[in-house]
């Protein structure tokens, strides 16, 4: 039984930390709604709600183009990672061949290697191939990086599926390909959803790779666009706050609906940051 | 890594076992397995593993990224030890580990100690969602928000002025003595939610009988913490340490947006130096050497921390 005093203490601690986590973010929201004339970095309580900052930021900052880039890159990375991780995860979980364990550990290397490590040679390689300043320069490396987690994640899921189901399907004469797409993938929808959410978030929030690879203003991703917007409007806090919300909102909205998936996935061994 | 997943019990280990066995008994090599793994391995190799190898290679040359490179041997590495600015960068990283890993974990453990039953309260998932939120917001957004908080007339200074501490106010990110701790505090704010969520979930998995037994034995809050909570959370502490220490060592976006390594080089970090040298000052070889050292450091830390992890079949 939980005593009344203990319950009160627990709620108090949780409330204090929820408030601490939220204050800087709520500050951004109120700041974004503050009329530009009243704009200040201090905690402002807007005299009147002003949605104009969003329009100004949207137009001056070309955020329509940035969001389009981000959505395009993130969706393609999620799809490619999904398909390739399903195939490789299936292979590592249910096939027997020499070197299987070694190859699996090799994919795990990607979990521990920071992008700072491979971005320099990657830049020169892609420049040599004429791919810098294209979406491929963002999609391919980020797919590679997400695959380290994706393969690990899908393999663990496929291993948790009872072997009897697979054996039964084999006895019915189903091919491996059919078993994978008709039985395993539908059963694994929750695991796939978690992976898709995490990969979407990592890709959306990635900063270093676009910073290095992209010079064309129209191909900037949202966080990169925000960084440039910030350096051009350092003291226009209301405008910056509005732009920040535009950049953060898609992932935060997903998080609101699927927070269980996010939290479970991020705590279950996602060493990637 | 798989710490938070339920430990394999004797029962489901037995259920797992047949997965490899029939094939092995037949001694058949399923060549198709290579085909399924091939696309993922190809992408991984081309865009991650090969560049990683090239990184080591380039680090052994003097190269400005444009003209021909000249052999440098280990010169780029010895420079890291000799150059005070680079040494400072790595030193700053260790300071950040204090703020990103040590403070949040100790604080979250203390909080977990007084909220041992929080995971059973009503509405806990709502609090958990709020406390965890900073983890999903883009670092660029976090940095922008905190730049406003630390600004000369920002929230922090305004608050200090209202409580009569005008003498303490300063441009926190522009002051040589406070810039690094100020960046560090952003990390504490960022990571404490992660630790708290991890630890409350972990405490929820500790059998309630252990707490009851401790109470019957007359253990106080402190004894209970060291006898039950702390040992029960070893797995979660390992995960928290790994995630937060790596986050500290990798910090780049935050410093790029909030301080650009300044003032002077008060907040320069290895990851920032890697970027700056490779794409700013044309010292590509040196940048690669720093990246190699940083990567090795991360690998060592990860391995060391996982050594602390309780064994799968442990007590």
């Amino acid at each position: 039984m939980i005593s009344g005093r203990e319950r009160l203490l627990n709620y108090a601690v949780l409330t204090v930390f929820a408030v601490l986590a939220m204050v800087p973010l709520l500050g951004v929201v109120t700041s974004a709604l503050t009329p530009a004339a009243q704009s200040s970095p201090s905690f402002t309580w807007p005299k009147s709600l002003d949605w104009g900052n969003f329009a100004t930021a949207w137009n001056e900052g070309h955020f329509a183009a940035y969001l389009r880039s981000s959505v395009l890159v993130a969706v393609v990375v999620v799809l490619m990672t999904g398909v390739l991780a399903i195939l490789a995860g299936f292979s590592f979980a249910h096939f027997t061949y020499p070197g299987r364990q070694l190859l699996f550990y090799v994919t795990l290397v990607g979990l521990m290697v920071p992008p700072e490590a491979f971005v320099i040679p990657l830049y020169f390689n892609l420049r040599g191939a004429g791919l810098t300043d294209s979406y491929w320069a963002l999609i391919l490396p980020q797919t590679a990086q997400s695959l380290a987690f994706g393969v690990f994640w899908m393999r663990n899921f496929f291993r948790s599926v009872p072997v009897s189901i697979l054996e039964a399907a084999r006895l019915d004469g189903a091919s491996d390909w059919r078993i994978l797409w008709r039985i395993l993938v539908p059963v694994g929808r929750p695991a796939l959803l978690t992976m898709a959410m995490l990969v979407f978030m990592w890709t959306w929030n990635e900063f270093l790779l676009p910073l290095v690879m992209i010079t064309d203003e129209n191909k900037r991703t949202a966080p990169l666009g925000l960084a440039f917007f910030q350096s051009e409007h350092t003291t226009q806090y209301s405008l910056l706050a509005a732009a920040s919300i535009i950049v953060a909102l898609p992932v935060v909205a997903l998080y609101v609906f699927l927070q269980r998936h996010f939290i479970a996935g991020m705590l279950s061994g996602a060493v990637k940051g | 890594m798989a710490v938070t997943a339920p430990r394999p019990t004797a029962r489901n280990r037995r259920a797992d076992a047949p997965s490899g066995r029939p094939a092995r008994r037949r001694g058949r090599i399923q060549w198709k397995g290579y085909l399924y793994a091939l696309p993922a391995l190809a992408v991984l190799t081309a865009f991650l593993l090969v560049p990683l190898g090239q990184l080591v290679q380039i680090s052994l040359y003097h190269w400005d990224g444009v003209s021909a490179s000249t052999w440098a041997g280990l010169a780029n590495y010895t420079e890291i030890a000799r150059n005070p600015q680079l040494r400072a960068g790595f030193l700053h990283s260790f300071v950040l580990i204090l703020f990103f890993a040590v403070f949040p974990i100790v604080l979250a453990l203390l909080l977990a100690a007084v909220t041992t039953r929080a995971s059973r309260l009503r509405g806990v998932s709502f609090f958990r969602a709020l406390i965890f939120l900073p983890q999903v917001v883009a670092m660029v957004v976090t940095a922008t928000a905190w730049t406003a908080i630390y600004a000369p007339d920002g929230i922090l200074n305004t608050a200090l002025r209202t409580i009569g501490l005008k003498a303490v106010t300063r441009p926190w990110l522009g002051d040589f003595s406070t810039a690094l701790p100020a960046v560090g505090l952003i990390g504490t704010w960022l990571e404490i939610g992660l630790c708290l969520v991890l630890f409350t979930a972990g405490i929820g998995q500790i059998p309630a009988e252990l707490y009851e037994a401790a109470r019957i034995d007359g253990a106080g809050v402190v004894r209970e913490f060291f006898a039950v909570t702390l040992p029960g959370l070893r797995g979660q502490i390992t995960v928290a340490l790994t995630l937060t220490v790596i986050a500290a060592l990798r910090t780049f976006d935050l410093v790029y947006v909030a301080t650009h390594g300044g003032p002077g080089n008060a907040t320069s970090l290895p990851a920032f130096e890697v970027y700056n040298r490779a794409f700013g000052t044309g010292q590509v070889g040196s940048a690669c050497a720093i990246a190699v050292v940083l990567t090795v450091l991360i690998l060592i830390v990860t391995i060391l921390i996982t050594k602390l992890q309780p064994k799968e079949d442990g007590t």
Side-chain angles (χ1 to χ4, degrees):
Chain A
M1 272 292 98
I2 304 178
S3 71
R5 207 181 56 131
E6 194 183 343
R7 179 178 297 149
L8 202 67
L9 176 69
N10 285 350
Y11 275 126
V13 169
L14 288 175
T15 308
V16 166
F17 278 84
V19 168
L20 279 179
M22 291 305 291
V23 161
L25 301 174
L26 285 178
V28 174
V29 175
T30 58
S31 178
L33 293 172
T34 304
Q38 198 197 330
S39 165
S40 118
S42 191
F43 200 77
T44 50
W45 196 250
K47 292 189 186 100
S48 58
L49 289 189
D50 186 348
W51 298 91
N53 292 314
F54 289 96
T56 316
W58 184 268
N59 295 329
E60 275 187 30
H62 314 291
F63 278 98
Y66 304 156
L67 288 185
R68 202 181 49 226
S69 302
S70 274
V71 169
L72 180 79
V73 170
V75 167
V76 176
V77 170
V78 166
L79 290 177
M80 284 177 62
T81 306
V83 172
L84 298 189
I86 286 172
L87 293 176
F90 183 48
S91 167
F92 289 140
H94 286 300
F95 287 84
T96 318
Y97 50 86
R100 182 183 75 162
Q101 206 63 15
L102 179 74
L103 289 175
F104 176 62
Y105 285 134
V106 166
T107 60
L108 289 189
V109 169
L111 273 179
M112 284 179 267
V113 175
E116 289 81 1
F118 54 85
V119 73
I120 302 172
L122 194 65
Y123 169 77
F124 289 103
N125 292 351
L126 291 174
R127 199 181 65 175
L131 285 176
T132 45
D133 225 3
S134 80
Y135 291 132
W136 290 114
L138 302 177
I139 291 169
L140 293 169
Q142 294 192 89
T143 303
Q145 235 198 323
S146 308
L147 270 174
F149 171 75
V151 171
F152 166 75
W153 184 254
M154 290 320 294
R155 169 188 178 265
N156 280 2
F157 169 73
F158 288 142
R159 277 168 71 103
S160 73
V161 176
V163 187
S164 52
I165 294 179
L166 300 185
E167 307 265 288
R170 281 210 182 99
L171 286 179
D172 286 347
S175 64
D176 291 325
W177 184 256
R178 225 183 131 76
I179 291 173
L180 174 61
W181 294 104
R182 287 294 163 83
I183 299 172
L184 288 177
V185 169
V187 173
R189 239 178 279 149
L192 274 168
L193 184 63
T194 302
M195 179 177 75
M197 293 302 97
L198 291 177
V199 171
F200 183 87
M201 175 184 72
W202 287 326
T203 313
W204 187 279
N205 290 349
E206 173 64 41
F207 180 68
L208 178 67
L209 218 49
L211 177 69
V212 169
M213 298 294 174
I214 301 296
T215 48
D216 179 357
E217 200 185 321
N218 288 313
K219 293 203 181 80
R220 280 178 195 162
T221 59
L224 183 64
L226 178 61
F228 277 93
F229 193 71
Q230 202 246 9
S231 59
E232 287 156 15
H233 302 84
T234 33
T235 56
Q236 288 162 278
Y237 294 100
S238 294
L239 211 54
L240 282 178
S244 298
I245 291 175
I246 294 174
V247 172
L249 198 61
V251 174
V252 172
L254 271 181
Y255 173 75
V256 168
F257 290 112
L258 299 162
Q259 46 112 350
R260 264 168 220 286
H261 284 272
F262 270 94
I263 296 178
M266 285 177 76
L267 298 186
S268 71
V271 176
K272 201 182 142 165
Chain B
M1 199 176 282
V3 202
T4 49
R7 304 246 182 87
T9 61
R11 202 176 337 124
N12 58 33
R13 220 180 295 145
R14 219 174 295 137
D16 264 1
S19 67
R21 225 177 264 159
R24 227 175 287 145
R25 208 184 298 137
R26 275 175 267 146
R28 191 162 60 89
I29 295 174
Q30 296 166 295
W31 296 103
K32 245 198 284 178
Y34 290 112
L35 274 182
Y36 278 96
L38 186 68
L41 288 171
V43 172
L44 213 66
T45 307
F47 298 99
L48 209 150
L49 298 174
V50 167
L52 208 56
Q54 290 169 303
L55 180 80
V56 179
Q57 190 194 354
I58 301 174
S59 76
L60 301 173
Y61 287 86
H62 292 296
W63 189 35
D64 60 5
V66 187
S67 39
S69 55
T70 54
W71 177 254
L74 294 176
N76 287 324
Y77 290 93
T78 48
E79 193 208 350
I80 298 175
R82 272 188 286 115
N83 184 323
Q85 191 182 336
L86 292 181
R87 268 209 319 257
F90 279 97
L91 208 66
H92 295 157
S93 275
F94 290 110
V95 175
L96 284 195
I97 289 179
L98 210 61
F99 281 96
F100 274 65
V102 179
F103 291 170
I105 288 175
V106 170
L107 256 172
L109 274 177
L110 288 178
L111 291 170
V114 295
T115 58
T116 46
R117 295 173 184 184
S119 64
R120 270 162 254 171
L121 290 177
R122 207 182 302 157
V124 73
S125 66
F126 169 74
F127 285 102
R128 200 178 58 163
L130 288 186
I131 293 172
F132 199 77
L133 183 61
Q135 287 285 324
V136 306
V137 172
M139 194 69 101
V140 181
V141 172
T142 304
T144 311
W146 280 86
T147 314
I149 292 175
Y150 285 135
D153 47 356
I155 300 174
L156 185 57
N157 283 336
T158 314
L160 287 172
R161 251 176 247 130
T162 28
I163 57 169
L165 286 172
K166 192 163 184 300
V168 194
T169 61
R170 65 188 75 202
W172 298 93
L173 290 171
D175 190 302
F176 277 90
S177 57
T178 57
L180 189 63
V183 169
L185 269 182
I186 304 176
T188 309
W189 173 78
L190 202 61
E191 303 295 351
I192 191 159
L194 176 89
C195 299
L196 207 55
V197 169
L198 256 175
F199 296 160
T200 43
I203 287 180
Q205 288 166 15
I206 297 176
E209 302 86 68
L210 288 182
Y211 284 106
E212 273 152 34
R215 272 169 212 189
I216 290 167
D217 287 350
V221 182
V222 178
R223 277 273 309 278
E224 185 185 275
F225 175 72
F226 283 105
V228 183
T229 309
L230 203 55
L233 286 181
R234 262 168 65 197
Q236 280 76 16
I237 295 172
T238 310
V239 174
L241 261 179
T242 317
L243 291 172
T244 54
V245 170
I246 291 180
L249 289 174
R250 289 195 38 195
T251 306
F252 172 78
D253 318 10
L254 188 58
V255 158
Y256 182 89
V257 173
T259 65
H260 232 84
N265 64 351
T267 57
S268 81
L269 294 166
F272 185 75
E273 284 299 327
V274 169
Y275 170 79
N276 199 28
R277 288 187 170 228
F279 303 105
T281 58
Q283 296 163 280
V284 182
S286 164
C288 287
I290 303 169
V292 169
V293 173
L294 185 62
T295 308
V296 169
L297 210 59
I298 288 177
L299 289 182
I300 291 175
V301 165
T302 316
I303 291 166
L304 276 183
I305 294 172
T306 8
K307 287 254 187 243
L308 298 172
Q309 189 182 327
K311 297 272 178 298
E312 281 289 311
D313 305 291
T315 48

